[in-house]
């Protein structure tokens, strides 16, 4: 689903992970509907190529590129400052960038990479852009999660795989963290005119799994052609993000989880308020917020 042409004229949106996959398709959909779109990429060459492609596909020149490595808290702070310098307000923030890492790797902040990119970046970029979102209110935050969250053995004492690391489990935990964050943030933002919702985009053929190095990848390479008919394309994957970003039906709707443009019930753990509160505190500590 793409919002109709012109329905987002005057709206300013920011999409992370827009150099490819679901994020790029989301940026195209938003630009096509007339929005001014800021995209975030960690690589200038890939980012410029994506910006040009989005502009051409959407027939809209109002697409700007910001560079940031979303695994790094310093880079996120610099990104938020650059965005605040450049944009007068923000109406839609789509936290979309994501990774799966087969091996446990720490970044320069000492954070495990999957947790850093998939959760801490959503958490801290949102915080650093809150003033800009308040200027844009009514404003919307869209967090791209996954049905994988149902398999998450989220252990606050092993948030960064210190005790045990398995790539797919770390990914699932980070996607559960997206939903816990959404629920907790929705409560905190009550009355501000900023809503926050999250979603599963479907099973979509993108580079996400391709980049997942290790045992799984060898298996996937073999079975991939057989699985292809079950995968959606990036445009289909962007449908729910676009719905949450733009649909007038969702005005005032907050703290919800969606699949295929419909509200869905996320796992019971994702509704655990104590867990959400403790994750929030730990995320504040790790991001120095
Ligand atoms: N594909 C699916 O079936 C599926 C299912 C459920 C949920 N999701 C979720 O959908 C979202 C988008 O995934 P996708 O499938 O579109 O994956 P993708 O094609 O691999 O795209 C991921 C995007 O994130 C960016 N990114 C990764 N690490 C980054 C970093 N450190 N700094 C800045 N940008 C970074 C990538 O940029 P580079 O080009 O620089 O790598 C890329 O643009 C993710 O949150 C994922 O968890 C996907």
């Amino acid at each position: 689903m793409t919002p109709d042409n012109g329905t987002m004229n005057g709206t300013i949106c920011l999409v992370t992970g827009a150099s490819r996959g679901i994020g790029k398709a989301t940026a195209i959909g938003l630009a096509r509907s007339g929005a001014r779109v800021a995209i975030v990429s960690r690589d200038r060459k890939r980012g410029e190529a994506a910006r040009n492609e989005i502009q051409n596909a959407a027939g809209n020149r109002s697409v700007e590129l910001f560079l940031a490595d979303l695994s790094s808290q310093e880079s996120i702070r610099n990104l938020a400052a650059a965005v605040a310098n450049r944009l007068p307000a923000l109406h839609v923030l789509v936290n979309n960038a994501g990774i799966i890492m087969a091996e446990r790797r720490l970044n320069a902040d000492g954070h495990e990479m999957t947790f850093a990119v998939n959760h801490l970046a959503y958490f801290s970029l949102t915080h650093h852009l809150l003033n800009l979102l308040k200027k844009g209110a009514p404003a919307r935050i869209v967090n791209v999660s996954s049905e994988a969250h149902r398999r998450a053995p989220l252990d606050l004492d092993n948030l960064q795989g210190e005790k045990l690391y398995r790539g797919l489990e770390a990914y699932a935990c980070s996607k559960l963290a997206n939903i816990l964050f959404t629920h907790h943030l929705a409560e905190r933002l009550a009355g501000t005119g900023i809503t926050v919702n999250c979603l599963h985009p479907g099973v979509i053929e993108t580079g996400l799994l391709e980049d997942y190095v290790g045992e799984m990848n060898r298996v996937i390479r073999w079975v991939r052609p057989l699985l292809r008919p079950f995968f959606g394309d990036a445009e289909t994957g962007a449908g729910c993000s676009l719905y949450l970003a733009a649909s007038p039906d969702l005005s005032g709707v907050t703290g919800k989880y969606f699949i295929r443009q419909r509200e869905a019930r996320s796992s019971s753990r994702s509704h655990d308020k104590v867990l959400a509160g403790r994750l929030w505190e730990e995320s504040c500590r790790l991001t120095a917020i």
Side-chain angles (χ1 to χ4, degrees):
M1 173 235 143
T2 301
D4 292 336
N5 280 355
T7 49
M8 295 194 79
N9 283 345
T11 305
I12 308 175
C13 309
L14 187 142
V15 184
T16 68
S19 61
R20 67 182 192 182
I22 296 166
K24 186 168 73 180
T26 303
I28 291 173
L30 292 169
R32 208 169 259 156
S33 68
R36 174 176 174 185
V37 182
I39 62 167
V40 181
S41 171
R42 64 182 145 169
D43 178 88
R44 180 174 293 283
K45 217 168 152 195
R46 282 200 300 275
E48 285 176 349
R51 181 196 54 204
N52 296 344
E53 192 184 331
I54 296 162
Q55 286 174 330
N56 292 335
N60 179 349
R61 307 310 296 166
S62 300
V63 182
E64 300 162 64
L65 170 66
F66 291 88
L67 294 175
D69 175 356
L70 295 170
S71 70
S72 151
Q73 288 303 311
E74 187 187 1
S75 185
I76 291 171
R77 283 192 295 273
N78 291 340
L79 166 67
V83 169
N85 245 337
R86 181 101 180 111
L87 305 181
L90 190 59
H91 303 104
V92 176
L93 166 63
V94 185
N95 286 310
N96 166 83
I99 54 169
I100 309 180
M101 302 282 293
E103 307 277 327
R104 183 172 188 266
R105 261 184 46 211
L106 300 185
N107 64 17
D109 297 332
H111 301 152
E112 186 278 313
M113 285 293 281
T114 308
F115 183 68
V117 175
N118 295 10
H119 168 64
L120 291 178
Y122 284 29
F123 181 87
S124 99
L125 183 62
T126 301
H127 274 82
H128 292 302
L129 291 177
L130 267 186
N131 282 338
L132 213 56
L133 286 158
K134 283 182 184 152
K135 286 187 195 165
R140 299 181 183 195
I141 300 163
V142 177
N143 292 325
V144 181
S145 176
S146 170
E147 274 290 274
H149 82 273
R150 296 189 194 277
R151 293 190 294 275
L154 188 70
D155 170 2
L156 290 173
D157 297 325
N158 188 42
L159 260 188
Q160 304 198 53
E162 303 91 331
K163 291 191 286 192
L164 173 73
Y165 184 87
R166 290 198 187 104
L168 288 181
E169 281 184 7
Y171 176 74
C173 288
S174 71
K175 295 288 123 181
L176 174 58
N178 295 158
I179 306 180
L180 290 164
F181 168 54
T182 301
H183 289 159
H184 196 87
L185 183 64
E187 285 183 8
R188 286 185 169 245
L189 292 178
T192 61
I194 307 172
T195 58
V196 51
N197 292 295
C198 57
L199 67 110
H200 167 64
V203 181
I204 306 300
E205 183 158 23
T206 66
L208 190 72
L209 279 178
E210 254 166 40
D211 284 357
Y212 174 57
V213 192
E215 277 310 306
M216 265 310 273
N217 208 19
R218 277 201 287 278
V219 177
I220 282 166
R221 231 177 280 139
W222 279 101
V223 297
R224 200 184 164 109
L226 302 174
L227 293 177
R228 192 159 281 140
F230 302 102
F231 286 177
D233 60 13
E235 247 178 67
T236 309
C240 200
S241 295
L242 291 169
Y243 176 65
L244 297 194
S247 173
D249 298 348
L250 296 183
S251 148
V253 173
T254 193
K256 305 293 185 199
Y257 178 64
F258 289 80
I259 304 175
R260 284 191 215 98
Q261 287 88 296
R262 290 234 172 121
E263 194 183 323
R265 175 88 188 160
S266 53
S267 70
S268 50
R269 279 205 96 198
S270 75
H271 292 274
D272 181 336
K273 290 193 179 202
V274 176
L275 185 62
R278 288 184 58 203
L279 177 67
W280 184 278
E281 294 304 323
E282 185 60 7
S283 305
C284 286
R285 190 183 71 74
L286 291 169
T287 57
I289 282 172

